[in-house]
Amino acid sequence: MTSKKRSLIIVAVFVLSLLVVLGILLLTQVDVSVSTDDETVDTTTYVYSGSRDDIATMVISNEYGEYTVTQNDGTFTIDELEGLNQNSTTLAAAGNCISSITAQSLVEENAENLEKYGLSDDDPTAKVTVTLTDGTVYTVYYGIDSADSTSSTVYVRLGGSSDVYTVLSNSSRYFYYAKEDFISLIILSELSSTSTSPTIDYMTVTRKDLDYDVTFEDDTKNYATDEVSMASSQVMTSPVYAYLDITNSNDVIYGLWGLTATEAVCPFPTEEDWDYYGLSDPYCTVLIEAELQTYHLIIGNVASYVTDDSGNDTSEPAYYYGYYEGIDCVYTFSVDDLPWVTFMPVDIMSSLMTSNYIYRVDYINIEFYEDGETTAYYFDVTADEDEDYLVATYDNEFVDIDTFKVLYQFILKCPIDDLCLEDPDEDAELVCKMEIITETGGDVLEFYDDGNNRVTIKMNGITSFSQPISYIQTLRTNVETFINGGTSDDILMAW
């Protein structure tokens, strides 16, 4: 036999052997396919498994006391907080967690020392007794944080059993809360971008560190809507009459809407509680009358102070206790959310000392006094806003109306940088008097030299403001420039 034939015979025998082995495998293979009809085996360990809908009540006991949560028509509320807005979403989440408790691990079966886990019958860290709608009762004990530092878990066991498990902390945290933690912290809903701000008819802010009340009133009827006015439709009426800056005054005027507390500390306060939290003798009160409703916020003692880098208290308040009439609970509020305890009137005032719309002006009379002499400038104004008609005369001659508007803008933007509630000295020199008279009134401003490069200003006979005397000097320059034929480019807007 040749070597070639011998090789062919060996190959044929090898192929035949492979076919035999393959046939055996096909006949003896195990069916490893999984039927789609087979159910997946649930390997989860449940401490308890039920339905939130079956819960009638939950009695929660922990270091803060005991309270009862009742479910009615799918809504969970705390019986002891009846009458207060509660966070029903959080309470419903607690119902979910107590009706389906999934263990992370079995720590000890039939544990003899439950106390070391915080799970003893007599003194557990927390306990929840659940009554179902069919009358069934079960109890769940929640303990301390587990010793497993790699996971955020706590110990837990079911009443009647000594088996100790761990469960995730975030699924059990509700049962360590005080009942106050479930009180809604929203005092008034925030104004939406599409809603109209309420009309503040009257508002008063009282504060212990001020010798006067700060009051505001609606002035929509007299509100100047022209382009030079940045005043609010509310005006300050005490301690002085002043227009408000729209941006700077917004939080003070409308800050109640959207006000949210940081913590609810004392529901249904007693008279002793009112004394303790400083509400009987408040530091600050905010009273608003708006659209036939009254809003009243009472701010009491400082709850805590800002700390320095070493963790020591400073003298700067961080939180105050407060009470809003209509919600019978004492809260804490961040000082950042209470503009009324820190603002000063000058902070929110408009730079406009007067805000008489130019189309309503009848005349402007400006008098300067120096060395016993009086220099007067009288401008007669005739206007019809509907007809877009505006003319002005000086010394019976028509003036350039565009330049006159620029001059009037300078007058309107008279700078107020401080309040002044004390009358000028008897010997203080009157350096300027300005009358801006309209059909319905107008304003009279008197400027007295106080001897410190400033002037004290009486508005309509009432001492109200203070400003640099440089404004009066620039005003005189501008008036003289105007009557001598100067253009709008020649009017100085800075002083």
Side-chain angles (χ1 to χ4, degrees):
M1 180 181 296
T2 66
S3 59
K4 184 176 181 180
K5 289 182 179 179
R6 190 183 301 112
S7 297
L8 290 173
I9 291 172
I10 292 172
V11 172
V13 171
F14 178 72
V15 172
L16 180 62
S17 298
L18 288 176
L19 292 173
V20 171
V21 172
L22 180 59
I24 294 171
L25 289 174
L26 290 173
L27 291 172
T28 60
Q29 70 176 335
V30 179
D31 185 5
V32 295
S33 63
V34 179
S35 172
T36 57
D37 295 332
D38 292 341
E39 294 184 358
T40 302
V41 177
D42 187 356
T43 60
T44 304
T45 301
Y46 289 96
V47 178
Y48 183 85
S49 181
S51 172
R52 185 187 74 179
D53 296 338
D54 295 332
I55 296 175
T57 62
M58 299 183 291
V59 179
I60 300 175
S61 305
N62 54 40
E63 62 176 313
Y64 301 107
E66 181 176 288
Y67 51 94
T68 301
V69 181
T70 300
Q71 180 178 200
N72 286 308
D73 298 326
T75 301
F76 289 81
T77 55
I78 297 174
D79 295 356
E80 291 81 358
L81 299 178
E82 183 178 357
L84 295 178
N85 292 331
Q86 302 173 36
N87 195 328
S88 57
T89 301
T90 303
L91 288 168
N96 278 331
C97 292
I98 201 66
S99 60
S100 180
I101 307 172
T102 303
Q104 295 300 296
S105 65
L106 174 62
V107 177
E108 184 178 355
E109 192 172 1
N110 296 320
E112 294 184 0
N113 184 7
L114 294 172
E115 187 174 351
K116 72 176 183 179
Y117 300 109
L119 296 172
S120 64
D121 285 326
D122 297 333
D123 190 26
T125 306
K127 181 177 74 171
V128 185
T129 300
V130 182
T131 301
L132 303 180
T133 53
D134 64 2
T136 302
V137 178
Y138 68 92
T139 301
V140 182
Y141 294 84
Y142 290 92
I144 61 175
D145 292 341
S146 73
D148 183 2
S149 60
T150 63
S151 63
S152 181
T153 56
V154 297
Y155 297 116
V156 68
R157 73 177 178 91
L158 193 63
S161 171
S162 298
D163 295 342
V164 177
Y165 300 88
T166 57
V167 296
L168 292 175
S169 299
N170 62 7
S171 67
S172 54
R173 64 186 185 276
Y174 309 106
F175 311 112
Y176 298 84
Y177 288 171
K179 64 180 182 295
E180 290 81 8
D181 294 327
F182 294 99
I183 297 175
S184 173
L185 300 179
I186 298 174
I187 304 304
L188 277 179
S189 297
E190 189 172 2
L191 295 171
S192 68
S193 59
T194 57
S195 62
T196 302
S197 299
T199 299
I200 308 298
D201 299 310
Y202 186 80
M203 178 177 179
T204 301
V205 178
T206 61
R207 216 165 69 205
K208 278 188 173 181
D209 64 330
L210 298 179
D211 296 331
Y212 47 81
D213 291 347
V214 185
T215 61
F216 308 92
E217 293 183 23
D218 179 61
D219 192 42
T220 305
K221 292 181 180 179
N222 297 318
Y223 175 50
T225 57
D226 61 291
E227 69 277 5
V228 302
S229 175
M230 280 297 293
S232 165
S233 59
Q234 276 73 41
V235 295
M236 184 187 301
T237 54
S238 172
V240 299
Y241 187 95
Y243 298 96
L244 303 180
D245 181 271
I246 293 174
T247 302
N248 295 339
S249 66
N250 192 66
D251 287 345
V252 172
I253 300 298
Y254 297 108
L256 273 184
W257 285 267
L259 178 62
T260 300
T262 55
E263 183 182 3
V265 295
C266 182
F268 314 116
T270 63
E271 184 175 343
E272 290 76 15
D273 294 327
W274 272 68
D275 292 339
Y276 177 80
Y277 294 112
L279 301 171
S280 301
D281 184 23
Y283 174 71
C284 177
T285 62
V286 182
L287 181 65
I288 296 176
E289 295 178 7
E291 299 178 353
L292 303 180
Q293 293 191 57
T294 300
Y295 306 85
H296 193 191
L297 177 67
I298 304 171
I299 302 165
N301 291 338
V302 175
S304 63
Y305 291 88
V306 175
T307 57
D308 59 22
D309 294 338
S310 301
N312 300 315
D313 284 347
T314 65
S315 60
E316 181 182 354
Y319 296 90
Y320 282 90
Y321 294 113
Y323 182 93
Y324 178 76
E325 283 197 0
I327 304 177
D328 198 11
C329 182
V330 179
Y331 296 89
T332 57
F333 296 92
S334 169
V335 69
D336 294 335
D337 296 324
L338 299 175
W340 311 281
V341 304
T342 56
F343 88 99
M344 295 301 290
V346 71
D347 298 334
I348 63 173
M349 287 170 14
S350 167
S351 61
L352 306 180
M353 190 181 309
T354 180
S355 183
N356 297 288
Y357 192 21
I358 193 169
Y359 278 92
R360 300 173 188 164
V361 173
D362 270 355
Y363 69 84
I364 301 172
N365 185 50
I366 304 175
E367 296 179 352
F368 296 100
Y369 308 97
E370 186 176 11
D371 299 329
E373 295 186 0
T374 301
T375 306
Y377 301 91
Y378 181 91
F379 301 94
D380 188 71
V381 182
T382 303
D384 187 331
E385 184 176 7
D386 293 336
E387 298 293 333
D388 193 24
Y389 176 75
L390 176 66
V391 296
T393 61
Y394 171 74
D395 199 18
N396 295 319
E397 297 287 337
F398 287 103
V399 299
D400 181 80
I401 200 60
D402 290 331
T403 306
F404 180 74
K405 286 181 177 180
V406 175
L407 175 64
Y408 191 65
Q409 286 185 36
F410 177 83
I411 293 172
L412 286 181
K413 293 182 178 180
C414 174
I416 301 172
D417 63 2
D418 202 0
L419 295 181
C420 184
L421 306 181
E422 295 184 5
D423 289 338
D425 294 337
E426 290 184 2
D427 58 350
E429 181 182 355
L430 177 65
V431 294
C432 179
K433 181 178 180 180
M434 184 188 308
E435 297 174 293
I436 305 175
I437 305 303
T438 68
E439 292 180 359
T440 57
D443 294 306
V444 177
L445 306 173
E446 297 171 287
F447 303 82
Y448 292 85
D449 189 349
D450 72 359
N452 296 303
N453 290 320
R454 297 182 65 83
V455 287
T456 299
I457 305 166
K458 284 188 176 183
M459 182 172 180
N460 299 320
I462 299 174
T463 302
S464 303
F465 310 112
S466 174
Q467 68 175 186
I469 198 171
S470 57
Y471 171 78
I472 299 301
Q473 296 165 346
T474 306
L475 173 64
R476 185 165 191 170
T477 297
N478 281 339
V479 172
E480 291 175 350
T481 297
F482 176 71
I483 64 171
N484 288 322
T487 67
S488 57
D489 292 336
D490 300 319
I491 302 297
L492 302 175
M493 300 305 289
W495 47 87

